[in-house]
C-alpha cells in the first residue's frame, strides 16, 4: 500500500517533455526516477527492503533500484531488478 500510494502521488505530478501533465509510461518512470535521488539518501549496507527504504529514506543501489521497480510495477510498467557483483540497477 505504501508503494502504491507513492506511485499514485508521483503519477499525479508527471509531465511530458513539453511540460504538460502526462500519464505516458515514460513520463511516469521519469517522475519516479527523479523523486528517488531527491528523497532517498545513499547509504551502503546490507539489503533491507523497499518499504524499509521508504520508511528510513536511505538505501544503496539495491534499495533505490528496487524502489524504482516497485513504483513502475505499481502503475503497470514492466520492470525488473538486475544484479551484478557489487551493484544493482533497474530495467523497464
Amino acid at each position: 500500500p505504501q508503494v502504491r500510494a507513492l506511485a499514485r502521488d508521483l503519477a499525479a505530478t508527471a509531465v511530458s517533455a513539453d511540460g504538460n501533465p502526462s500519464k505516458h509510461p515514460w513520463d511516469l518512470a521519469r517522475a519516479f526516477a527523479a523523486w528517488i535521488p531527491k528523497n532517498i539518501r545513499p547509504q551502503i549496507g546490507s539489503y533491507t527492503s523497499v518499504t524499509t527504504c521508504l520508511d528510513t529514506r536511505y538505501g544503496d543501489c539495491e534499495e533505490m533500484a528496487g524502489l524504482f521497480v516497485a513504483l513502475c510495477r505499481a502503475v503497470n510498467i514492466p520492470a525488473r531488478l538486475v544484479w551484478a557483483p557489487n551493484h544493482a540497477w533497474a530495467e523497464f
Side-chain angles (χ1 to χ4, degrees):
Q2 187 178 7
V3 172
R4 284 189 205 100
L6 178 58
R8 187 174 46 251
D9 292 346
L10 293 174
T13 68
V15 295
S16 62
D18 60 7
N20 292 318
S22 176
K23 298 299 178 206
H24 190 280
W26 182 259
D27 298 322
L28 296 176
R30 185 175 28 211
F32 302 156
W35 185 90
I36 291 169
K38 290 179 185 173
N39 293 277
I40 306 297
R41 293 183 320 269
Q43 182 171 330
I44 295 174
S46 298
Y47 179 75
T48 56
S49 71
V50 168
T51 54
T52 300
C53 176
L54 282 174
D55 290 341
T56 62
R57 298 297 172 112
Y58 69 83
D60 62 15
C61 58
E62 285 180 298
E63 285 84 11
M64 290 184 201
L67 176 56
F68 179 80
V69 167
L71 290 168
C72 285
R73 289 178 177 180
V75 297
N76 298 315
I77 298 172
R80 66 181 177 180
L81 197 56
V82 180
W83 283 279
N86 300 314
H87 193 50
W89 62 91
E91 292 180 342
F92 69 103

